[in-house]
Amino acid sequence: MEVKDFGRLLDGCAARLFVFGNEKLKLAVSDYGTSLVNLIVPDKSGGPVDIVLGYEDVSGYEKDESCYLGCNVGRNANRIRDGRFLINGREYILDKNDGKNNLHSGAHPYSKRMWTVGKYNDESVTFALKSPHMDQGFPGEADIRITYELLEGAAFRIRYEAVSDKDTIVNMTNHSYFNLNGEGSGNVLHHRLTLYADAFTPADAESIPTGEIVPVAGTPMDFRSGKTIGQDIGEKYQPLIFAKGYDHNFVLDDQKGCRPAAEVLGDETGIVMRIETDYPGMQVYTANYVKDVKGKNRHIYGPREGVCFEPQFFPDAVNQDKFISPLLKAGERYKKEIIYRFSS
Ligand code: BGC
């Protein structure tokens, strides 16, 4: 493990970058927000390619307004209608930072905090955060841990763990924008995507699920046998029009254990990424609202220049009876994982 300086925050606090890997893959992760800053894998001719969008140093992550490049999002990813929910009959109120709704938990996000560095070695690094009772409006003091760890071959895993002293909700995910042709290389419309999802959850104009679970068959949401991301993105289909592209929760097949969620191919590099997870759903977001973002290597990112695969509980699940509940009972252990595997 190489520990590097990653610049200073406005308050003078120094951030670090933890760089590790093997001959097949290299990761760089910061203790500021636990963000994934670089992910380098070989292309079909063996040359290294950085396949995640990111910022040059910590100040970019501190200034990030609403993109969440590479961040781990918590305590709750995606939207909660009207920024309110009930647990055990009590109402909890969150920031309304997306119209009248809550997005990615609101102000003072986990991704803009300095995390404590726990155990690290050549294969993994663990970050810890104590999130107090009523932090961002969520009940329960929660001990949160995020671990990045190398797996055999060209693969790594992100593990999310939490324990709270009161019933609460936890729904954490990674918000990396992938471009398998290399960050800053243009749009991802020619990437070939396969999703292991027979259904999705349509959302209203505010991107909040209506509660229905709709088969993807016969719709532009059908990626079951693989197609380019761009093939149907411009279709006159209400869910795509509302979201200005893909920004939808897919209901992953076979709701048991860690199983394949997606396979993506970068058309220029031949890099293939396979994602596995034990979450029930996955938000696929084609960077529809990214505009003039000053990224690393002097790249300026725009819409469709990356694609996020965010395994998670379904958006607004806390307010939807038909969705699997993101409730974490007091004293119980939250354990979720996302695995990324590469080949070229
Ligand atoms: C959401 C988008 C949002 C983006 C950046 C994604 O997880 O689905 O609607 O614009 O995050 O905040």
Side-chain angles (χ1 to χ4, degrees):
M1 177 75 66
E2 193 188 345
V3 184
K4 296 208 300 212
D5 184 9
F6 196 44
R8 283 184 186 273
L9 298 170
L10 288 171
D11 68 3
C13 193
R16 286 176 294 173
L17 200 58
F18 294 78
V19 185
F20 61 117
N22 54 29
E23 50 311 324
K24 305 257 175 62
L25 139 165
K26 195 164 146 188
L27 299 175
V29 185
S30 179
D31 51 359
Y32 182 69
T34 73
S35 295
L36 177 59
V37 174
N38 302 304
L39 171 55
I40 299 171
V41 295
D43 65 11
K44 56 190 171 201
S45 47
V49 185
D50 187 353
I51 58 163
V52 289
L53 277 55
Y55 299 107
E56 199 59 45
D57 61 23
V58 76
S59 66
Y61 291 87
E62 189 173 29
K63 283 189 231 141
D64 179 293
E65 272 172 27
S66 52
C67 292
Y68 299 85
L69 294 193
C71 295
N72 286 303
V73 186
R75 216 177 270 196
N76 180 71
N78 210 276
R79 292 176 176 81
I80 293 183
R81 189 186 289 284
D82 296 330
R84 63 163 292 282
F85 60 92
L86 296 173
I87 292 184
N88 302 329
R90 220 200 111 172
E91 183 176 52
Y92 295 91
I93 307 286
L94 308 172
D95 284 347
K96 294 180 173 49
N97 62 332
D98 189 58
K100 58 187 180 51
N101 304 308
N102 177 271
L103 173 61
H104 296 326
S105 304
H108 192 37
Y110 286 2
S111 54
K112 293 200 179 197
R113 300 187 198 185
M114 195 57 90
W115 288 56
T116 304
V117 181
K119 273 197 257 163
Y120 66 90
N121 55 36
D122 286 343
E123 277 93 47
S124 75
V125 56
T126 298
F127 301 102
L129 180 78
K130 199 174 266 305
S131 174
H133 175 52
M134 298 311 285
D135 194 4
Q136 299 177 295
F138 295 98
E141 179 182 280
D143 281 311
I144 317 264
R145 273 193 292 169
I146 295 181
T147 301
Y148 286 83
E149 64 183 322
L150 295 178
L151 301 177
E152 195 74 20
F156 74 100
R157 163 166 43 209
I158 307 179
R159 269 196 290 134
Y160 299 93
E161 292 166 278
V163 182
S164 164
D165 64 356
K166 296 192 172 50
D167 292 359
T168 190
I169 58 174
V170 182
N171 177 25
M172 301 190 66
T173 194
N174 182 269
H175 206 284
S176 288
Y177 291 72
F178 295 94
N179 186 324
L180 300 187
N181 290 336
E183 62 84 25
S185 69
N187 69 53
V188 296
L189 296 175
H190 298 288
H191 283 42
R192 188 179 172 83
L193 173 62
T194 306
L195 293 177
Y196 300 95
D198 282 342
F200 78 110
T201 55
D204 61 18
E206 296 174 7
S207 285
I208 307 267
T210 57
E212 303 152 276
I213 291 179
V214 169
V216 294
T219 79
M221 316 307 278
D222 191 351
F223 283 90
R224 291 172 301 170
S225 25
K227 66 181 178 188
T228 62
I229 291 177
Q231 183 181 305
D232 298 329
I233 201 169
E235 289 279 297
K236 290 192 176 47
Y237 179 65
Q238 194 52 255
L240 289 173
I241 296 168
F242 275 154
K244 300 185 167 54
Y246 291 103
D247 187 5
H248 300 90
N249 171 61
F250 287 81
V251 177
L252 299 176
D253 296 342
D254 178 20
Q255 293 290 341
K256 269 186 263 100
C258 193
R259 74 289 192 212
E263 181 174 313
V264 207
L265 163 72
D267 52 301
E268 287 166 18
T269 54
I271 294 170
V272 176
M273 174 171 73
R274 295 184 181 83
I275 297 180
E276 297 163 22
T277 186
D278 52 359
Y279 275 112
M282 184 170 71
Q283 187 84 7
V284 176
Y285 171 54
T286 45
N288 311 334
Y289 307 108
V290 171
K291 203 168 164 252
D292 293 334
V293 172
K294 290 187 182 61
K296 57 194 172 186
N297 304 312
R298 298 177 187 268
H299 290 141
I300 310 283
Y301 305 132
R304 320 253 190 270
E305 294 198 14
V307 51
C308 301
F309 300 101
E310 307 161 56
Q312 55 189 263
F313 287 94
F314 302 173
D316 198 36
V318 68
N319 290 317
Q320 302 268 2
D321 292 345
K322 282 195 236 138
F323 293 174
I324 297 172
S325 170
L327 187 77
L328 178 70
K329 289 278 197 189
E332 279 182 8
R333 189 165 285 278
Y334 179 90
K335 255 183 120 185
K336 288 285 170 194
E337 63 180 344
I338 310 172
I339 295 174
Y340 305 84
R341 296 184 194 278
F342 299 92
S343 57
S344 55

